[in-house]
């Protein structure tokens, strides 16, 4: 792994563990056992590292969104897509820790992040519209928008909620808890044969959700 890549991987880990505002460039250099000058050679300040990590997050998320929109998804595929979105958010969880701090210290990143969230919601709206059109989901336009907002709240706040309760967010358990919340909210609108619905519920309950939807996005580690 090249030095610049190592810097991003270690920075991401430190930001996720401690919060971005509690980590300095010197902390990152010490963790890597390199001089601050060497760090500065690759990234001219922590702000550049944060921006580079956001770009990496957006690149991975864009691939997930694009993949979902070009496929004809089943409801189970849709929940697998939601899992992938939650997983990417977990990988870059520092972006969700403190939006006020992000906006104050990294206004350019915060602005791009909000734009990305709008694109993410637009993607989910399109997918829901497809399910409403084929009868897999029965919901009005207003109800569909409310579902999108509930999903957005789970995406952006669920990890913080479980962390505040003292629960671990270091494995996939909290991701499936988020999916279970979304399923609970969407369940009254899902129009599937009982067998298919039970299969989806079991897959989420047993953390065994699978899909033909391809996650082509590279990981940082």
């Amino acid at each position: 792994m090249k030095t610049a890549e190592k810097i991003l991987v270690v920075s991401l880990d430190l930001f996720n563990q401690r919060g971005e505002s509690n980590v300095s460039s010197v902390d990152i250099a010490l963790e890597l056992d390199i001089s601050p000058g060497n760090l500065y050679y690759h990234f001219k300040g922590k702000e550049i590292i944060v921006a580079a990590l956001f770009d990496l997050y957006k690149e991975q998320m864009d691939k997930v969104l694009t993949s979902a929109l070009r496929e004809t998804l089943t409801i189970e595929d849709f929940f697998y897509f939601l899992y992938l979105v939650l997983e990417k958010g977990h990988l870059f969880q520092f972006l969700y820790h403190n939006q006020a701090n992000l906006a104050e210290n990294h206004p350019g990143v915060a602005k791009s992040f909000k734009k990305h969230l709008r694109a993410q919601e637009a993607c989910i709206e399109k997918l829901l519209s497809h399910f409403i059109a084929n009868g897999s989901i029965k919901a009005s336009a207003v109800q569909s928008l409310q579902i999108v907002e509930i999903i957005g709240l789970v995406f952006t706040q669920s990890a913080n909620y479980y962390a505040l309760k003292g629960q671990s967010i270091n494995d996939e358990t909290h991701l499936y808890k988020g999916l279970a919340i979304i399923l609970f909210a969407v369940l009254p609108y899902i129009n599937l044969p009982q067998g298919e619905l039970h299969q989806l519920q079991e897959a989420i309950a047993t953390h065994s959700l699978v899909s033909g939807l391809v996650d082509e996005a590279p990981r940082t580690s």
Side-chain angles (χ1 to χ4, degrees):
M1 191 183 295
K2 296 180 180 179
T3 301
E5 294 173 334
K6 290 180 181 177
I7 290 171
L8 290 179
V9 169
V10 169
S11 298
L12 179 58
D13 186 49
L14 291 175
F15 292 165
N16 284 343
Q17 287 184 29
R18 305 181 192 175
E20 174 272 322
S21 61
N22 297 318
V23 177
S24 68
S25 296
V26 174
D27 293 329
I28 298 168
L30 287 173
E31 188 72 19
L32 284 160
D33 197 23
I34 62 175
S35 68
N38 192 358
L39 182 75
Y40 189 79
Y41 172 80
H42 294 281
F43 295 97
K44 304 295 189 284
K46 192 178 75 168
E47 294 78 11
I48 307 302
I49 295 175
V50 172
L53 286 173
F54 173 77
D55 288 344
L56 186 58
Y57 165 76
K58 185 176 181 301
E59 177 187 347
Q60 294 191 13
M61 278 301 310
D62 284 348
K63 289 183 178 181
V64 173
L65 300 182
T66 300
S67 178
L69 288 174
R70 76 164 174 255
E71 303 287 344
T72 301
L73 304 186
T74 64
I75 293 293
E76 186 167 356
D77 290 332
F78 176 65
F79 273 86
Y80 184 76
F81 156 74
L82 297 179
Y83 176 85
L84 291 178
V85 175
L86 284 166
E87 185 183 47
K88 299 305 178 189
H90 174 66
L91 184 60
F92 294 86
Q93 61 187 266
F94 81 93
L95 291 169
Y96 295 87
H97 282 170
N98 190 328
Q99 283 296 304
N101 177 74
L102 190 70
E104 181 178 352
N105 295 332
H106 309 281
V109 170
K111 182 177 180 181
S112 297
F113 192 32
K114 290 178 181 177
K115 183 178 180 181
H116 164 72
L117 290 177
R118 288 194 293 270
Q120 186 174 281
E121 287 195 339
C123 174
I124 295 170
E125 284 181 30
K126 288 182 181 179
L127 294 175
L128 287 177
S129 295
H130 162 73
F131 292 129
I132 290 171
N134 69 21
S136 298
I137 288 179
K138 292 188 175 181
S140 67
V142 172
Q143 289 168 334
S144 179
L145 289 176
Q146 289 173 333
I147 291 170
V148 171
E149 289 196 349
I150 289 170
I151 292 173
L153 285 169
V154 172
F155 282 168
T156 58
Q157 303 301 322
S158 61
N160 290 334
Y161 170 71
Y162 292 123
L164 284 170
K165 291 179 68 177
Q167 298 179 9
S168 172
I169 57 171
N170 294 322
D171 59 26
E172 67 176 11
T173 300
H174 84 280
L175 303 180
Y176 274 99
K177 285 182 178 179
L179 284 185
I181 292 170
I182 294 172
L183 179 59
F184 180 80
V186 179
L187 196 58
Y189 309 101
I190 294 179
N191 182 37
L192 290 177
Q194 193 60 39
E196 290 183 31
L197 183 57
H198 179 70
Q199 182 178 330
L200 174 61
Q201 291 171 315
E202 280 293 303
I204 292 175
T206 59
H207 302 185
S208 57
L209 196 63
V210 295
S211 171
L213 183 66
V214 177
D215 174 19
E216 299 175 341
R219 299 174 186 272
T220 56
S221 58

